[in-house]
Amino acid sequence: MGYFGAGGIILDISDPCYPKKKGQIKIQPPFAGKFCGARSHTFLPLTGRNFAVLTNEGERFAFFNKEKLENGADGGKHRGAQPMNNLHMIDISDPSDPTLVAEFPYPEVPEGFPWKNFNVAGMDGAQGPFGPHNIHEPMGKSWLEDNPDRIYCCYFHAGMRVYDVSDPYYIKEIAYFIPPNPEHTYFDVPIPGPMLGTTEDCVVDDRGYIYVDTFHDGMYILKLK
């Protein structure tokens, strides 16, 4: 399980009434912190493999502006450079010793994208708490895709990202989709920052259709060519 600031936790649930901690990997610091979301968000074992993917959650840039990022909050707390949030490949062959073995690559920035990278998108030169959000989780359901060589990730305003993890030490991004920036809000939430296209959650069915919802732009149904 992703256990927020405690990192990734592996439990012995042979007795479900008395779960016991089997292993733990802490990744904060150097990853996560300050204005990011969940310090450790998701810890997904890859079916039939001795590896799992652990994620730190970034945050929606719509909740921030340059002033807030530079001045921080609560008397200056969280200001300045924002720690990296990422997806991490963890070796779990020994559940008592989960070990970081690889990092996922930075999302490809499309040609013609208005900013030089996703960390500063819409922030007037300030650096935001960029990072991933939810990944597809098969959950043992027959109607959901369960491909242990592939990871689907909603990467907030970097869009939907698809990775080939067949080689756990050399991870490749193979596809992405970034939704358009919304023109207005659809519910009453303060938006001090930029209105960027932002992917939130994803589910992939057994036919390969990818269902992606967004912060302010509805749902998309995608498929790899």
Side-chain angles (χ1 to χ4, degrees), residues 191-214:
I191 304 292
M195 288 291 290
L196 301 173
T198 304
T199 57
E200 294 281 348
D201 314 285
C202 60
V203 171
V204 186
D205 71 18
D206 58 351
R207 301 169 297 175
Y209 289 102
I210 307 165
Y211 303 86
V212 178
D213 64 6
T214 63

Side-chain angles (χ1 to χ4, degrees), residues 61-62 64-66 69 115 119-129 193-194:
F61 279 21
F64 302 92
N65 54 28
K66 185 176 182 178
L69 291 169
W115 300 277
N119 292 67
V120 298
M123 290 285 103
D124 296 324
Q127 180 210 347

